[in-house]
Amino acid sequence: MTDPSAPAAVSWRELLSPEHAGVAIVLAVGVLVGAINIYLASSLLPTAVAEIGGAGFYAWNMTVYLVAMVIATMLVSRFLARWGDVGAYLLGFGVFLVGSLACALSPVMPVLLAGRGIQGLGAGLLSGLAFAAVRSALPRRLWTRANALMSAMYGVGNFVGPALGGLFAQFGGWRLAFVSMAVIAALCGLLVPRVLPRGDRGDVRAPVPVVSLLLVTAAAAAVSVAGVLSGAAAIAAGIAVALLLVAVFVAHERRSELRVFPRPTYRPGSPLKWLYLTLALLAFGVAVESFLPLFGQRLGGLAPAVAGFFGAAISLGWSATQLVSSSAVKERTIGRLRMLGPLLLALGFLVQGLLQRQDAPLWLVLVWVPVLFIAGAGVGLAYPHLSVAVMSSTQDPGEGERAAAAIATVTSLSIAFGTAVAGALVNLGGSSMLDAARYMLFGFAIICAFGAVTARAASSTGSPASAGRPGS
């Protein structure tokens, strides 16, 4: 159902028209529930631990969830080939529903962690399906708007997750938070057969790339474990192991016929690898949100609730900006936005690091908010256009679905890496919270600035669509 002829401009009104609104809602909510649940449990755990115990497993709730999420995103193309859009989406919402109910009913912490793992599998499948199903569920002229809407859900989820979890925890209803997630999944599951096309099915006998899957899973596990370790040396060792596993994964994929990423990713002259790297560096930067509430409390003297909203400024900038930036249609403008996005993100971190003060006055704390919003705007400027470039990287439907689904894999893995690296940089500050904040913000400014280099490399290697055509 793709339309190769794209008009000069498409309004949000068309995407949200009666013809396409149902599809947009299902795709967006699928991403949203996964994003919300990354941080939802973190707000609920203190209340849950007081009831069911298991404080020793406290830090593992996000690790289990993120690793499961990464695994599921890599299997999206297989599920689409086996069951089509409708069947795969019903499976995703069904698995997420079961995981949410398991969390809600858990009598002990190990059961809660198992529920989080099942939730993560469903969330990863829904996130990957959202980007892959755009190709078959919507005409091509709506891809940029749809990608902007879905990627905005990551930002909205980062904001809503902690706030929603805190609200339920405040009233002692942590189980009801997971029940609410199950209800949302059930309602969306009922909507799926009504609004989504069945989708084309591929070779259901296609073998699973077991080696690639194991390597990425091990890398995700290593970096997630690094994020919960104490001590900069231990965290650095965990990150080094994860990077080594990623390098082995890339080397294996380049020579294997069974891959997670589409063939053009490893083809000389293809911009696809640079597009993925730019997306990875943008998602990597968002991980600083895990520590911003801590800085707000310790350096700015903010109350915990206020500091939590302060930490969501990056996500708000990300979500709000891309809803506007997605209107760009000129190739030169889009190329500039892809390069400007990482630079703006890095600049925001640099300025935020320079503005850090111990016992910062209120006026300075208020300045932090627009600076972080501008940093998040860098993600919003580039993310939807990078996503569409990835989706357009090949004319082959099967490879196109794999390329689109890998966007969620890259995003989830990058957030996990970013969280671990942020923890290592914070630990370098030792007992000084001011030094910790500066190490993290300046370090992320340097890392994210490389996104401009990868974005330029993607533009200089030519059209992704042409690079993905057979024989190119």
Side-chain angles (χ1 to χ4, degrees):
M1 191 172 165
T2 58
D3 181 6
S5 60
V10 175
S11 69
W12 283 104
R13 183 177 299 176
E14 182 174 357
L15 178 63
L16 301 177
S17 66
E19 182 183 359
H20 302 300
V23 173
I25 290 171
V26 168
L27 300 183
V29 174
V31 175
L32 180 61
V33 293
I36 286 176
N37 278 272
I38 293 177
Y39 297 107
L40 176 72
S42 299
S43 302
L44 299 171
L45 274 181
T47 307
V49 166
E51 180 180 333
I52 65 175
F57 296 99
Y58 190 98
W60 286 89
N61 89 88
M62 187 177 295
T63 299
V64 170
Y65 184 85
L66 285 176
V67 171
M69 197 171 178
V70 170
I71 292 171
T73 59
M74 293 188 293
L75 297 174
V76 165
S77 59
R78 266 67 187 180
F79 287 121
L80 283 172
R82 177 66 178 82
W83 288 296
D85 290 354
V86 172
Y89 253 103
L90 288 175
L91 178 65
F93 280 119
V95 171
F96 184 82
L97 186 153
V98 170
S100 299
L101 290 178
C103 291
L105 299 173
S106 54
V108 291
M109 183 58 71
V111 177
L112 179 60
L113 290 177
R116 287 287 284 165
I118 298 172
Q119 259 196 333
L121 291 173
L125 183 54
L126 291 171
S127 297
L129 284 171
F131 290 99
V134 164
R135 293 175 56 91
S136 58
L138 293 170
R140 193 191 189 288
R141 65 181 181 275
L142 295 177
W143 285 4
T144 302
R145 293 291 194 189
N147 273 278
L149 178 63
M150 291 185 301
S151 55
M153 294 300 103
Y154 282 109
V156 173
N158 290 350
F159 177 79
V160 172
L164 186 63
L167 180 64
F168 276 100
Q170 181 74 31
F171 296 100
W174 66 273
R175 296 181 187 274
L176 290 177
F178 290 114
V179 171
S180 68
M181 292 294 102
V183 170
I184 292 172
L187 293 176
C188 285
L190 293 174
L191 189 61
V192 165
R194 299 174 179 270
V195 301
L196 286 184
R198 292 282 171 184
D200 296 329
R201 300 188 183 189
D203 183 4
V204 299
R205 299 168 298 174
V208 174
V210 176
V211 175
S212 294
L213 188 63
L214 290 175
L215 287 170
V216 173
T217 301
V223 76
S224 297
V225 169
V228 300
L229 295 175
S230 58
I235 294 176
I239 295 171
V241 169
L243 288 173
L244 178 61
L245 288 168
V246 170
V248 175
F249 163 81
V250 171
H252 170 75
E253 287 247 312
R254 288 177 65 90
R255 66 175 188 272
S256 175
E257 290 298 318
L258 298 178
R259 293 176 303 276
V260 171
F261 288 89
R263 186 185 302 274
T265 307
Y266 307 102
R267 183 174 295 151
S270 169
L272 194 52
K273 56 182 172 293
W274 302 115
L275 294 170
Y276 280 133
L277 281 171
T278 310
L279 282 168
L281 289 166
L282 290 173
F284 180 93
V286 179
V288 304
E289 286 188 331
S290 299
F291 292 92
L292 289 177
L294 176 64
F295 301 151
Q297 292 179 51
R298 298 281 295 276
L299 299 179
L302 299 176
V306 177
F309 285 105
F310 156 79
I314 291 178
S315 288
L316 292 177
W318 171 7
S319 300
T321 304
Q322 66 187 358
L323 296 179
V324 177
S325 71
S326 60
S327 62
V329 293
K330 293 183 178 180
E331 186 175 346
R332 179 176 297 181
T333 301
I334 290 173
R336 289 173 177 171
L337 289 176
R338 291 180 194 165
M339 290 183 60
L340 178 61
L343 288 176
L344 195 59
L345 179 64
L347 179 62
F349 290 151
L350 175 62
V351 173
Q352 183 69 9
L354 294 173
L355 292 176
Q356 298 302 290
R357 298 288 186 277
Q358 189 68 51
D359 300 321
L362 180 60
W363 69 266
L364 183 59
V365 174
L366 292 176
V367 172
W368 291 353
V369 177
V371 171
L372 291 171
F373 186 93
I374 290 171
V379 182
L381 287 178
Y383 201 100
H385 299 294
L386 290 164
S387 299
V388 170
V390 168
M391 290 170 55
S392 307
S393 61
T394 176
Q395 303 299 314
D396 180 83
E399 289 287 84
E401 285 181 349
R402 184 176 296 149
I407 295 171
T409 304
V410 168
T411 300
S412 301
L413 194 58
S414 295
I415 291 174
F417 264 95
T419 302
V421 172
L425 293 173
V426 166
N427 280 338
L428 287 177
S431 59
S432 171
M433 187 56 60
L434 179 59
D435 287 344
R438 287 174 173 169
Y439 277 129
M440 189 194 76
L441 290 166
F442 291 152
F444 269 67
I446 294 171
I447 294 170
C448 293
F450 282 101
V453 178
T454 57
R456 182 174 180 81
S459 298
S460 64
T461 49
S463 165
S466 64
R469 289 190 187 107
S472 60

